[in-house]
PDB file of all heavy atoms in Angstrom:
ATOM      1  N   THR A 134     -77.278  52.679  28.211  1.00  0.00           N
ATOM      2  CA  THR A 134     -76.690  52.594  29.529  1.00  0.00           C
ATOM      3  C   THR A 134     -77.530  51.728  30.429  1.00  0.00           C
ATOM      4  O   THR A 134     -77.027  50.897  31.195  1.00  0.00           O
ATOM      5  CB  THR A 134     -76.505  53.992  30.149  1.00  0.00           C
ATOM      6  OG1 THR A 134     -75.691  54.762  29.296  1.00  0.00           O
ATOM      7  CG2 THR A 134     -75.897  53.948  31.524  1.00  0.00           C
ATOM      8  N   GLU A 135     -78.853  51.898  30.356  1.00  0.00           N
ATOM      9  CA  GLU A 135     -79.768  51.097  31.157  1.00  0.00           C
ATOM     10  C   GLU A 135     -79.614  49.608  30.837  1.00  0.00           C
ATOM     11  O   GLU A 135     -79.608  48.761  31.726  1.00  0.00           O
ATOM     12  CB  GLU A 135     -81.185  51.548  30.936  1.00  0.00           C
ATOM     13  CG  GLU A 135     -82.222  50.856  31.773  1.00  0.00           C
ATOM     14  CD  GLU A 135     -83.647  51.375  31.536  1.00  0.00           C
ATOM     15  OE1 GLU A 135     -83.855  52.111  30.559  1.00  0.00           O
ATOM     16  OE2 GLU A 135     -84.504  51.010  32.333  1.00  0.00           O
ATOM     17  N   LEU A 136     -79.491  49.250  29.564  1.00  0.00           N
ATOM     18  CA  LEU A 136     -79.327  47.876  29.179  1.00  0.00           C
ATOM     19  C   LEU A 136     -78.020  47.274  29.717  1.00  0.00           C
ATOM     20  O   LEU A 136     -77.985  46.160  30.223  1.00  0.00           O
ATOM     21  CB  LEU A 136     -79.352  47.736  27.647  1.00  0.00           C
ATOM     22  CG  LEU A 136     -80.716  47.961  26.997  1.00  0.00           C
ATOM     23  CD1 LEU A 136     -80.596  47.976  25.469  1.00  0.00           C
ATOM     24  CD2 LEU A 136     -81.690  46.866  27.436  1.00  0.00           C
ATOM     25  N   VAL A 137     -76.938  48.025  29.619  1.00  0.00           N
ATOM     26  CA  VAL A 137     -75.650  47.538  30.101  1.00  0.00           C
ATOM     27  C   VAL A 137     -75.674  47.379  31.613  1.00  0.00           C
ATOM     28  O   VAL A 137     -75.239  46.330  32.128  1.00  0.00           O
ATOM     29  CB  VAL A 137     -74.522  48.521  29.693  1.00  0.00           C
ATOM     30  CG1 VAL A 137     -73.224  48.176  30.391  1.00  0.00           C
ATOM     31  CG2 VAL A 137     -74.331  48.494  28.187  1.00  0.00           C
ATOM     32  N   LEU A 138     -76.221  48.333  32.326  1.00  0.00           N
ATOM     33  CA  LEU A 138     -76.291  48.220  33.792  1.00  0.00           C
ATOM     34  C   LEU A 138     -77.209  47.095  34.207  1.00  0.00           C
ATOM     35  O   LEU A 138     -76.897  46.369  35.183  1.00  0.00           O
ATOM     36  CB  LEU A 138     -76.802  49.546  34.393  1.00  0.00           C
ATOM     37  CG  LEU A 138     -75.827  50.692  34.361  1.00  0.00           C
ATOM     38  CD1 LEU A 138     -76.498  51.955  34.891  1.00  0.00           C
ATOM     39  CD2 LEU A 138     -74.575  50.388  35.136  1.00  0.00           C
ATOM     40  N   GLY A 139     -78.284  46.899  33.514  1.00  0.00           N
ATOM     41  CA  GLY A 139     -79.182  45.769  33.828  1.00  0.00           C
ATOM     42  C   GLY A 139     -78.488  44.439  33.682  1.00  0.00           C
ATOM     43  O   GLY A 139     -78.654  43.544  34.524  1.00  0.00           O
ATOM     44  N   GLY A 140     -77.710  44.274  32.644  1.00  0.00           N
ATOM     45  CA  GLY A 140     -76.950  43.034  32.448  1.00  0.00           C
ATOM     46  C   GLY A 140     -75.923  42.836  33.545  1.00  0.00           C
ATOM     47  O   GLY A 140     -75.763  41.729  34.057  1.00  0.00           O
ATOM     48  N   ASP A 141     -75.211  43.894  33.928  1.00  0.00           N
ATOM     49  CA  ASP A 141     -74.196  43.800  34.997  1.00  0.00           C
ATOM     50  C   ASP A 141     -74.878  43.420  36.306  1.00  0.00           C
ATOM     51  O   ASP A 141     -74.369  42.569  37.046  1.00  0.00           O
ATOM     52  CB  ASP A 141     -73.461  45.134  35.139  1.00  0.00           C
ATOM     53  CG  ASP A 141     -72.495  45.382  34.007  1.00  0.00           C
ATOM     54  OD1 ASP A 141     -72.228  44.456  33.210  1.00  0.00           O
ATOM     55  OD2 ASP A 141     -72.007  46.536  33.935  1.00  0.00           O
ATOM     56  N   LEU A 142     -75.981  44.047  36.606  1.00  0.00           N
ATOM     57  CA  LEU A 142     -76.688  43.725  37.861  1.00  0.00           C
ATOM     58  C   LEU A 142     -77.187  42.298  37.854  1.00  0.00           C
ATOM     59  O   LEU A 142     -77.143  41.609  38.892  1.00  0.00           O
ATOM     60  CB  LEU A 142     -77.863  44.703  38.091  1.00  0.00           C
ATOM     61  CG  LEU A 142     -77.443  46.128  38.427  1.00  0.00           C
ATOM     62  CD1 LEU A 142     -78.670  47.035  38.463  1.00  0.00           C
ATOM     63  CD2 LEU A 142     -76.678  46.190  39.743  1.00  0.00           C
ATOM     64  N   ALA A 143     -77.674  41.826  36.724  1.00  0.00           N
ATOM     65  CA  ALA A 143     -78.166  40.455  36.644  1.00  0.00           C
ATOM     66  C   ALA A 143     -77.017  39.465  36.891  1.00  0.00           C
ATOM     67  O   ALA A 143     -77.233  38.451  37.567  1.00  0.00           O
ATOM     68  CB  ALA A 143     -78.813  40.197  35.285  1.00  0.00           C
ATOM     69  N   ASP A 144     -75.829  39.769  36.402  1.00  0.00           N
ATOM     70  CA  ASP A 144     -74.682  38.900  36.612  1.00  0.00           C
ATOM     71  C   ASP A 144     -74.336  38.817  38.100  1.00  0.00           C
ATOM     72  O   ASP A 144     -74.082  37.748  38.639  1.00  0.00           O
ATOM     73  CB  ASP A 144     -73.458  39.378  35.852  1.00  0.00           C
ATOM     74  CG  ASP A 144     -73.599  39.179  34.345  1.00  0.00           C
ATOM     75  OD1 ASP A 144     -74.482  38.392  33.916  1.00  0.00           O
ATOM     76  OD2 ASP A 144     -72.836  39.824  33.591  1.00  0.00           O
ATOM     77  N   HIS A 145     -74.362  39.975  38.764  1.00  0.00           N
ATOM     78  CA  HIS A 145     -74.064  39.998  40.203  1.00  0.00           C
ATOM     79  C   HIS A 145     -75.158  39.290  40.998  1.00  0.00           C
ATOM     80  O   HIS A 145     -74.839  38.558  41.963  1.00  0.00           O
ATOM     81  CB  HIS A 145     -73.872  41.437  40.686  1.00  0.00           C
ATOM     82  CG  HIS A 145     -72.641  42.089  40.135  1.00  0.00           C
ATOM     83  ND1 HIS A 145     -71.377  41.726  40.567  1.00  0.00           N
ATOM     84  CD2 HIS A 145     -72.483  43.041  39.212  1.00  0.00           C
ATOM     85  CE1 HIS A 145     -70.510  42.459  39.912  1.00  0.00           C
ATOM     86  NE2 HIS A 145     -71.128  43.250  39.094  1.00  0.00           N
ATOM     87  N   ASP A 146     -76.416  39.501  40.633  1.00  0.00           N
ATOM     88  CA  ASP A 146     -77.507  38.830  41.320  1.00  0.00           C
ATOM     89  C   ASP A 146     -77.365  37.310  41.210  1.00  0.00           C
ATOM     90  O   ASP A 146     -77.604  36.570  42.159  1.00  0.00           O
ATOM     91  CB  ASP A 146     -78.869  39.265  40.751  1.00  0.00           C
ATOM     92  CG  ASP A 146     -79.226  40.681  41.123  1.00  0.00           C
ATOM     93  OD1 ASP A 146     -78.559  41.293  41.970  1.00  0.00           O
ATOM     94  OD2 ASP A 146     -80.215  41.210  40.552  1.00  0.00           O
ATOM     95  N   LYS A 147     -77.020  36.853  40.010  1.00  0.00           N
ATOM     96  CA  LYS A 147     -76.873  35.413  39.763  1.00  0.00           C
ATOM     97  C   LYS A 147     -75.763  34.833  40.625  1.00  0.00           C
ATOM     98  O   LYS A 147     -75.903  33.745  41.194  1.00  0.00           O
ATOM     99  CB  LYS A 147     -76.622  35.165  38.278  1.00  0.00           C
ATOM    100  CG  LYS A 147     -76.616  33.715  37.891  1.00  0.00           C
ATOM    101  CD  LYS A 147     -76.455  33.572  36.381  1.00  0.00           C
ATOM    102  CE  LYS A 147     -76.407  32.116  35.987  1.00  0.00           C
ATOM    103  NZ  LYS A 147     -76.226  31.956  34.545  1.00  0.00           N
ATOM    104  N   SER A 148     -74.653  35.551  40.745  1.00  0.00           N
ATOM    105  CA  SER A 148     -73.538  35.086  41.576  1.00  0.00           C
ATOM    106  C   SER A 148     -73.948  35.020  43.023  1.00  0.00           C
ATOM    107  O   SER A 148     -73.635  34.049  43.739  1.00  0.00           O
ATOM    108  CB  SER A 148     -72.337  36.027  41.424  1.00  0.00           C
ATOM    109  OG  SER A 148     -71.845  35.988  40.138  1.00  0.00           O
ATOM    110  N   PHE A 149     -74.634  36.031  43.517  1.00  0.00           N
ATOM    111  CA  PHE A 149     -75.102  36.060  44.910  1.00  0.00           C
ATOM    112  C   PHE A 149     -76.068  34.915  45.180  1.00  0.00           C
ATOM    113  O   PHE A 149     -75.960  34.213  46.181  1.00  0.00           O
ATOM    114  CB  PHE A 149     -75.751  37.416  45.261  1.00  0.00           C
ATOM    115  CG  PHE A 149     -76.223  37.495  46.659  1.00  0.00           C
ATOM    116  CD1 PHE A 149     -75.351  37.588  47.717  1.00  0.00           C
ATOM    117  CD2 PHE A 149     -77.598  37.453  46.924  1.00  0.00           C
ATOM    118  CE1 PHE A 149     -75.825  37.650  49.028  1.00  0.00           C
ATOM    119  CE2 PHE A 149     -78.063  37.521  48.231  1.00  0.00           C
ATOM    120  CZ  PHE A 149     -77.170  37.625  49.278  1.00  0.00           C
ATOM    121  N   TYR A 150     -77.002  34.740  44.265  1.00  0.00           N
ATOM    122  CA  TYR A 150     -78.021  33.664  44.410  1.00  0.00           C
ATOM    123  C   TYR A 150     -77.316  32.307  44.462  1.00  0.00           C
ATOM    124  O   TYR A 150     -77.646  31.462  45.280  1.00  0.00           O
ATOM    125  CB  TYR A 150     -78.991  33.721  43.231  1.00  0.00           C
ATOM    126  CG  TYR A 150     -80.109  32.716  43.296  1.00  0.00           C
ATOM    127  CD1 TYR A 150     -81.111  32.840  44.249  1.00  0.00           C
ATOM    128  CD2 TYR A 150     -80.165  31.666  42.422  1.00  0.00           C
ATOM    129  CE1 TYR A 150     -82.159  31.920  44.290  1.00  0.00           C
ATOM    130  CE2 TYR A 150     -81.217  30.748  42.449  1.00  0.00           C
ATOM    131  CZ  TYR A 150     -82.183  30.876  43.401  1.00  0.00           C
ATOM    132  OH  TYR A 150     -83.213  29.964  43.445  1.00  0.00           O
ATOM    133  N   SER A 151     -76.324  32.095  43.619  1.00  0.00           N
ATOM    134  CA  SER A 151     -75.573  30.860  43.608  1.00  0.00           C
ATOM    135  C   SER A 151     -74.838  30.636  44.931  1.00  0.00           C
ATOM    136  O   SER A 151     -74.835  29.525  45.471  1.00  0.00           O
ATOM    137  CB  SER A 151     -74.582  30.845  42.441  1.00  0.00           C
ATOM    138  OG  SER A 151     -73.832  29.689  42.433  1.00  0.00           O
ATOM    139  N   SER A 152     -74.259  31.686  45.452  1.00  0.00           N
ATOM    140  CA  SER A 152     -73.553  31.602  46.753  1.00  0.00           C
ATOM    141  C   SER A 152     -74.514  31.248  47.868  1.00  0.00           C
ATOM    142  O   SER A 152     -74.209  30.418  48.750  1.00  0.00           O
ATOM    143  CB  SER A 152     -72.841  32.915  47.063  1.00  0.00           C
ATOM    144  OG  SER A 152     -71.846  33.179  46.113  1.00  0.00           O
ATOM    145  N   VAL A 153     -75.676  31.904  47.869  1.00  0.00           N
ATOM    146  CA  VAL A 153     -76.676  31.623  48.919  1.00  0.00           C
ATOM    147  C   VAL A 153     -77.196  30.192  48.790  1.00  0.00           C
ATOM    148  O   VAL A 153     -77.377  29.494  49.793  1.00  0.00           O
ATOM    149  CB  VAL A 153     -77.824  32.653  48.883  1.00  0.00           C
ATOM    150  CG1 VAL A 153     -78.989  32.243  49.758  1.00  0.00           C
ATOM    151  CG2 VAL A 153     -77.327  34.022  49.256  1.00  0.00           C
ATOM    152  N   ARG A 154     -77.424  29.757  47.570  1.00  0.00           N
ATOM    153  CA  ARG A 154     -77.888  28.371  47.353  1.00  0.00           C
ATOM    154  C   ARG A 154     -76.859  27.368  47.877  1.00  0.00           C
ATOM    155  O   ARG A 154     -77.209  26.406  48.555  1.00  0.00           O
ATOM    156  CB  ARG A 154     -78.131  28.115  45.877  1.00  0.00           C
ATOM    157  CG  ARG A 154     -78.658  26.720  45.598  1.00  0.00           C
ATOM    158  CD  ARG A 154     -78.994  26.480  44.136  1.00  0.00           C
ATOM    159  NE  ARG A 154     -77.892  26.912  43.297  1.00  0.00           N
ATOM    160  CZ  ARG A 154     -78.051  27.394  42.083  1.00  0.00           C
ATOM    161  NH1 ARG A 154     -79.236  27.521  41.563  1.00  0.00           N
ATOM    162  NH2 ARG A 154     -77.003  27.750  41.377  1.00  0.00           N
ATOM    163  N   PHE A 155     -75.563  27.635  47.635  1.00  0.00           N
ATOM    164  CA  PHE A 155     -74.506  26.758  48.150  1.00  0.00           C
ATOM    165  C   PHE A 155     -74.488  26.775  49.669  1.00  0.00           C
ATOM    166  O   PHE A 155     -74.375  25.731  50.288  1.00  0.00           O
ATOM    167  CB  PHE A 155     -73.157  27.215  47.580  1.00  0.00           C
ATOM    168  CG  PHE A 155     -72.002  26.399  48.059  1.00  0.00           C
ATOM    169  CD1 PHE A 155     -71.787  25.134  47.549  1.00  0.00           C
ATOM    170  CD2 PHE A 155     -71.158  26.875  49.034  1.00  0.00           C
ATOM    171  CE1 PHE A 155     -70.707  24.364  47.998  1.00  0.00           C
ATOM    172  CE2 PHE A 155     -70.089  26.115  49.496  1.00  0.00           C
ATOM    173  CZ  PHE A 155     -69.876  24.856  48.978  1.00  0.00           C
ATOM    174  N   ALA A 156     -74.617  27.961  50.247  1.00  0.00           N
ATOM    175  CA  ALA A 156     -74.610  28.068  51.724  1.00  0.00           C
ATOM    176  C   ALA A 156     -75.792  27.344  52.310  1.00  0.00           C
ATOM    177  O   ALA A 156     -75.675  26.632  53.333  1.00  0.00           O
ATOM    178  CB  ALA A 156     -74.601  29.545  52.124  1.00  0.00           C
ATOM    179  N   ALA A 157     -76.957  27.456  51.696  1.00  0.00           N
ATOM    180  CA  ALA A 157     -78.155  26.776  52.210  1.00  0.00           C
ATOM    181  C   ALA A 157     -77.992  25.282  52.106  1.00  0.00           C
ATOM    182  O   ALA A 157     -78.401  24.527  53.027  1.00  0.00           O
ATOM    183  CB  ALA A 157     -79.374  27.237  51.434  1.00  0.00           C
ATOM    184  N   SER A 158     -77.373  24.780  51.039  1.00  0.00           N
ATOM    185  CA  SER A 158     -77.184  23.341  50.889  1.00  0.00           C
ATOM    186  C   SER A 158     -76.166  22.796  51.915  1.00  0.00           C
ATOM    187  O   SER A 158     -76.146  21.605  52.183  1.00  0.00           O
ATOM    188  CB  SER A 158     -76.753  22.997  49.472  1.00  0.00           C
ATOM    189  OG  SER A 158     -75.430  23.453  49.222  1.00  0.00           O
ATOM    190  N   ASN A 159     -75.348  23.692  52.484  1.00  0.00           N
ATOM    191  CA  ASN A 159     -74.374  23.301  53.496  1.00  0.00           C
ATOM    192  C   ASN A 159     -74.807  23.701  54.906  1.00  0.00           C
ATOM    193  O   ASN A 159     -74.006  23.750  55.817  1.00  0.00           O
ATOM    194  CB  ASN A 159     -73.012  23.918  53.179  1.00  0.00           C
ATOM    195  CG  ASN A 159     -72.334  23.201  52.009  1.00  0.00           C
ATOM    196  OD1 ASN A 159     -72.043  22.051  52.119  1.00  0.00           O
ATOM    197  ND2 ASN A 159     -72.154  23.924  50.919  1.00  0.00           N
ATOM    198  N   ASN A 160     -76.105  23.996  55.033  1.00  0.00           N
ATOM    199  CA  ASN A 160     -76.737  24.272  56.350  1.00  0.00           C
ATOM    200  C   ASN A 160     -76.092  25.446  57.078  1.00  0.00           C
ATOM    201  O   ASN A 160     -75.955  25.397  58.331  1.00  0.00           O
ATOM    202  CB  ASN A 160     -76.733  23.033  57.243  1.00  0.00           C
ATOM    203  CG  ASN A 160     -77.545  21.911  56.617  1.00  0.00           C
ATOM    204  OD1 ASN A 160     -78.624  22.145  56.053  1.00  0.00           O
ATOM    205  ND2 ASN A 160     -77.055  20.700  56.691  1.00  0.00           N
ATOM    206  N   VAL A 161     -75.698  26.499  56.372  1.00  0.00           N
ATOM    207  CA  VAL A 161     -75.199  27.696  57.020  1.00  0.00           C
ATOM    208  C   VAL A 161     -76.371  28.447  57.654  1.00  0.00           C
ATOM    209  O   VAL A 161     -77.449  28.586  57.004  1.00  0.00           O
ATOM    210  CB  VAL A 161     -74.459  28.614  55.987  1.00  0.00           C
ATOM    211  CG1 VAL A 161     -74.071  29.927  56.601  1.00  0.00           C
ATOM    212  CG2 VAL A 161     -73.261  27.886  55.410  1.00  0.00           C
ATOM    213  N   ASN A 162     -76.215  28.863  58.907  1.00  0.00           N
ATOM    214  CA  ASN A 162     -77.281  29.542  59.633  1.00  0.00           C
ATOM    215  C   ASN A 162     -77.838  30.743  58.847  1.00  0.00           C
ATOM    216  O   ASN A 162     -77.078  31.604  58.407  1.00  0.00           O
ATOM    217  CB  ASN A 162     -76.819  30.020  61.000  1.00  0.00           C
ATOM    218  CG  ASN A 162     -76.663  28.891  61.981  1.00  0.00           C
ATOM    219  OD1 ASN A 162     -77.246  27.830  61.809  1.00  0.00           O
ATOM    220  ND2 ASN A 162     -75.894  29.135  63.022  1.00  0.00           N
ATOM    221  N   GLY A 163     -79.130  30.777  58.672  1.00  0.00           N
ATOM    222  CA  GLY A 163     -79.823  31.890  58.022  1.00  0.00           C
ATOM    223  C   GLY A 163     -79.836  31.850  56.499  1.00  0.00           C
ATOM    224  O   GLY A 163     -80.595  32.561  55.862  1.00  0.00           O
ATOM    225  N   ALA A 164     -79.022  30.985  55.899  1.00  0.00           N
ATOM    226  CA  ALA A 164     -78.932  30.932  54.441  1.00  0.00           C
ATOM    227  C   ALA A 164     -80.222  30.383  53.823  1.00  0.00           C
ATOM    228  O   ALA A 164     -80.619  30.824  52.737  1.00  0.00           O
ATOM    229  CB  ALA A 164     -77.734  30.122  54.004  1.00  0.00           C
ATOM    230  N   GLN A 165     -80.845  29.421  54.496  1.00  0.00           N
ATOM    231  CA  GLN A 165     -82.043  28.820  53.914  1.00  0.00           C
ATOM    232  C   GLN A 165     -83.200  29.833  53.799  1.00  0.00           C
ATOM    233  O   GLN A 165     -83.890  29.880  52.784  1.00  0.00           O
ATOM    234  CB  GLN A 165     -82.508  27.622  54.751  1.00  0.00           C
ATOM    235  CG  GLN A 165     -83.655  26.845  54.118  1.00  0.00           C
ATOM    236  CD  GLN A 165     -83.254  26.200  52.803  1.00  0.00           C
ATOM    237  OE1 GLN A 165     -82.215  25.564  52.703  1.00  0.00           O
ATOM    238  NE2 GLN A 165     -84.086  26.377  51.785  1.00  0.00           N
ATOM    239  N   ALA A 166     -83.337  30.709  54.784  1.00  0.00           N
ATOM    240  CA  ALA A 166     -84.375  31.743  54.725  1.00  0.00           C
ATOM    241  C   ALA A 166     -84.120  32.722  53.580  1.00  0.00           C
ATOM    242  O   ALA A 166     -85.030  33.093  52.850  1.00  0.00           O
ATOM    243  CB  ALA A 166     -84.439  32.504  56.035  1.00  0.00           C
ATOM    244  N   ILE A 167     -82.877  33.087  53.398  1.00  0.00           N
ATOM    245  CA  ILE A 167     -82.517  34.001  52.280  1.00  0.00           C
ATOM    246  C   ILE A 167     -82.756  33.294  50.970  1.00  0.00           C
ATOM    247  O   ILE A 167     -83.326  33.864  50.032  1.00  0.00           O
ATOM    248  CB  ILE A 167     -81.048  34.458  52.417  1.00  0.00           C
ATOM    249  CG1 ILE A 167     -80.867  35.289  53.694  1.00  0.00           C
ATOM    250  CG2 ILE A 167     -80.630  35.272  51.192  1.00  0.00           C
ATOM    251  CD1 ILE A 167     -79.426  35.559  54.040  1.00  0.00           C
ATOM    252  N   PHE A 168     -82.336  32.026  50.896  1.00  0.00           N
ATOM    253  CA  PHE A 168     -82.528  31.260  49.645  1.00  0.00           C
ATOM    254  C   PHE A 168     -84.008  31.158  49.305  1.00  0.00           C
ATOM    255  O   PHE A 168     -84.389  31.332  48.140  1.00  0.00           O
ATOM    256  CB  PHE A 168     -81.906  29.893  49.789  1.00  0.00           C
ATOM    257  CG  PHE A 168     -82.140  29.000  48.599  1.00  0.00           C
ATOM    258  CD1 PHE A 168     -81.506  29.258  47.408  1.00  0.00           C
ATOM    259  CD2 PHE A 168     -82.984  27.914  48.681  1.00  0.00           C
ATOM    260  CE1 PHE A 168     -81.714  28.449  46.300  1.00  0.00           C
ATOM    261  CE2 PHE A 168     -83.199  27.101  47.583  1.00  0.00           C
ATOM    262  CZ  PHE A 168     -82.558  27.367  46.391  1.00  0.00           C
ATOM    263  N   ASP A 169     -84.855  30.857  50.307  1.00  0.00           N
ATOM    264  CA  ASP A 169     -86.297  30.737  50.051  1.00  0.00           C
ATOM    265  C   ASP A 169     -86.890  32.059  49.544  1.00  0.00           C
ATOM    266  O   ASP A 169     -87.732  32.058  48.646  1.00  0.00           O
ATOM    267  CB  ASP A 169     -87.020  30.295  51.312  1.00  0.00           C
ATOM    268  CG  ASP A 169     -86.692  28.845  51.685  1.00  0.00           C
ATOM    269  OD1 ASP A 169     -86.212  28.090  50.825  1.00  0.00           O
ATOM    270  OD2 ASP A 169     -86.894  28.493  52.864  1.00  0.00           O
TER     271      ASP A 169
END
């Protein structure tokens, strides 16, 4: 169960990170600090 949940969380983290990276590249307020 721990392995399955870890993989699911990693997928969600990767999606969030990608969204923040996109927002930072488009100069969305506050996104660059989160991305860093």
Side-chain angles (χ1 to χ4, degrees):
T134 301
E135 184 179 12
L136 289 173
V137 170
L138 289 175
D141 288 347
L142 290 174
D144 290 343
H145 292 288
D146 288 350
K147 187 176 178 182
S148 295
F149 179 72
Y150 183 71
S151 178
S152 297
V153 169
R154 181 177 50 211
F155 179 76
S158 69
N159 286 296
N160 298 319
V161 174
N162 286 339
Q165 188 64 47
I167 296 169
F168 176 71
D169 292 340

